[in-house]
């Protein structure tokens, strides 16, 4: 069986994809920048490479037919060169996109959705077969509140419109099916959790999981900007995240795609919070 190359393999979704591929007995190869630092499940082959340097990907793509692609940058600069290298080796690409992408819009609502829309177009024009997974807000993003929660009972930050937050394990479960099965070429799947939840509701659920009452307090955008920059986040990332907070519309969208593809219903945010309560203690 040919190997599946997973990019973003040390991140919240990529790590789950790797783990579930290994559990399914599928040969998996992880693209990592530093093989010495990457802590991956037993049985995973780690190969060093960098998406910002396409020439480093040749070795990682040897004997690979399918690539799970997470694009870690805020622009598509260099993406065409990466896809050219992939096209020379692989026959399928599965790309993790955003459920906020609107096919009817000339321009997307914020820079992150625009990035994903641009990446989708590049992938669709490239040679390999493709499948797009448009994910809603990922539950593990809440780990960004862990330091605040350990020190106080209030989470302060910019508010973002409520969405059907999805567990990264469910994204990975769909990804694994798409990676190992035929019949998904040219498909775009929108992945959501089973409930629309606000940041206030997410913080409340985490409080229930750790046995402490917590509350969310919205702060002005400029206050959030100053704090995020003081925390050392790159200015371009700060502006992209804050643009999402300001312009992303409320979405009541809930799909059954997770269950349709995997046979198992999507987990709730509360499920995720209780399973990861130790992250906040």
């Amino acid at each position: 069986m040919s190997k599946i190359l997973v990019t973003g393999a040390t991140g919240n979704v990529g790590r789950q994809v790797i783990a579930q591929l290994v559990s399914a007995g599928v040969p998996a190869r992880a693209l990592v920048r530093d093989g010495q630092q990457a802590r991956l499940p037993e049985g995973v082959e780690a190969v060093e490479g960098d998406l910002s340097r396409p020439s480093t990907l040749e070795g990682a793509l040897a004997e690979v037919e399918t690539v799970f692609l997470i694009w870690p940058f805020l622009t598509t600069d260099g993406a065409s060169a990466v896809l050219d290298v992939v096209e020379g080796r692989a026959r399928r690409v599965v790309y993790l996109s955003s459920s906020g992408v609107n096919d009817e819009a000339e321009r997307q609502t914020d820079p992150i959705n625009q990035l994903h829309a641009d990446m989708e177009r590049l992938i669709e024009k490239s040679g390999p077969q493709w499948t797009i997974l448009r994910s809603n807000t990922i539950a593990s993003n809440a780990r960004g509140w862990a330091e605040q929660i350990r020190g106080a009972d209030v989470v302060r930050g910019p508010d973002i419109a409520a969405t059907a937050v999805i567990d990264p394990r469910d994204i990975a479960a769909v990804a694994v099916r798409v990676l190992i099965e035929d019949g998904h070429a040219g498909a775009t799947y929108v992945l959501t959790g089973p409930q629309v939840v606000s940041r206030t509701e997410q913080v409340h659920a985490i409080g229930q999981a750790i046995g402490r009452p917590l509350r969310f307090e919205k702060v002005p955008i400029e206050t959030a900007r100053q704090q995020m920059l003081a925390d050392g986040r790159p200015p371009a990332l700060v502006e992209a995240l804050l643009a999402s907070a300001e312009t992303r519309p409320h979405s009541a969208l809930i799909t059954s795609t997770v269950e349709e593809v995997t046979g198992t219903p999507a987990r709730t945010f509360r499920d995720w919070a209780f399973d990861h309560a130790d992250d906040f203690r």
Side-chain angles (χ1 to χ4, degrees):
M1 184 183 296
S2 64
K3 291 183 174 67
I4 293 174
L5 179 66
V6 178
T7 71
T10 59
N12 291 319
V13 175
R15 185 178 294 277
Q16 286 292 329
V17 172
I18 281 284
Q20 292 185 35
L21 285 170
V22 170
S23 180
V26 178
R29 177 181 289 166
L31 182 71
V32 298
R33 288 186 176 180
D34 187 341
Q36 298 297 320
Q37 297 297 320
R39 291 177 292 178
L40 297 167
E42 186 176 350
V44 176
E45 177 189 5
V47 177
E48 291 188 356
D50 190 335
L51 291 174
S52 68
R53 295 184 294 145
S55 61
T56 67
L57 304 179
E58 291 284 356
L61 287 163
E63 301 179 341
V64 166
E65 287 192 2
T66 304
V67 175
F68 180 68
L69 178 61
I70 295 176
W71 189 249
F73 309 113
L74 291 174
T75 74
T76 58
D77 292 349
S80 292
V82 168
L83 291 171
D84 285 344
V85 176
V86 170
E87 182 176 352
R89 295 280 191 170
R91 66 181 183 88
R92 289 201 299 167
V93 173
V94 178
Y95 175 64
L96 183 61
S97 185
S98 168
S99 64
V101 173
N102 180 357
D103 291 323
E104 305 303 320
E106 184 175 342
R107 295 290 298 176
Q108 303 299 316
T109 58
D110 62 72
I112 294 176
N113 282 330
Q114 187 62 54
L115 163 70
H116 286 300
D118 293 343
M119 282 296 297
E120 287 185 18
R121 282 194 288 269
L122 288 175
I123 290 166
E124 290 166 6
K125 292 176 182 177
S126 66
Q129 296 177 357
W130 53 266
T131 307
I132 305 297
L133 305 182
R134 289 181 177 172
S135 167
N136 212 315
T137 303
I138 301 173
S140 51
N141 291 352
R143 286 198 178 105
W145 300 328
E147 186 175 350
Q148 290 191 67
I149 290 171
R150 293 189 194 106
D153 295 330
V154 180
V155 172
R156 296 180 174 88
D159 205 1
I160 295 179
T163 60
V165 178
I166 184 169
D167 192 308
R169 293 172 294 186
D170 292 327
I171 301 171
V174 173
V176 167
R177 290 296 185 94
V178 170
L179 288 164
I180 67 177
E181 296 175 350
D182 292 327
H184 301 284
T188 297
Y189 295 127
V190 179
L191 311 180
T192 77
Q195 300 169 345
V196 173
V197 288
S198 65
R199 287 196 155 187
T200 295
E201 291 166 329
Q202 291 176 57
V203 170
H204 179 69
I206 294 169
Q208 289 183 317
I210 65 175
R212 262 174 50 213
L214 302 176
R215 63 184 177 88
F216 178 75
E217 182 179 296
K218 179 182 177 180
V219 303
I221 291 294
E222 185 54 39
T223 302
R225 176 180 287 109
Q226 293 173 6
Q227 184 59 57
M228 293 165 78
L229 291 171
D231 290 342
R233 298 195 187 190
L237 175 60
V238 170
E239 295 308 317
L241 293 173
L242 292 179
S244 297
E246 288 185 294
T247 63
R248 188 165 296 182
H250 171 80
S251 172
L253 175 67
I254 295 174
T255 70
S256 57
T257 309
V258 171
E259 184 170 10
E260 291 170 2
V261 174
T262 70
T264 302
R267 299 171 176 87
T268 65
F269 181 83
R270 187 176 186 276
D271 293 332
W272 180 89
F274 273 81
D275 288 345
H276 296 83
D278 287 346
D279 294 346
F280 301 93
R281 292 190 172 114

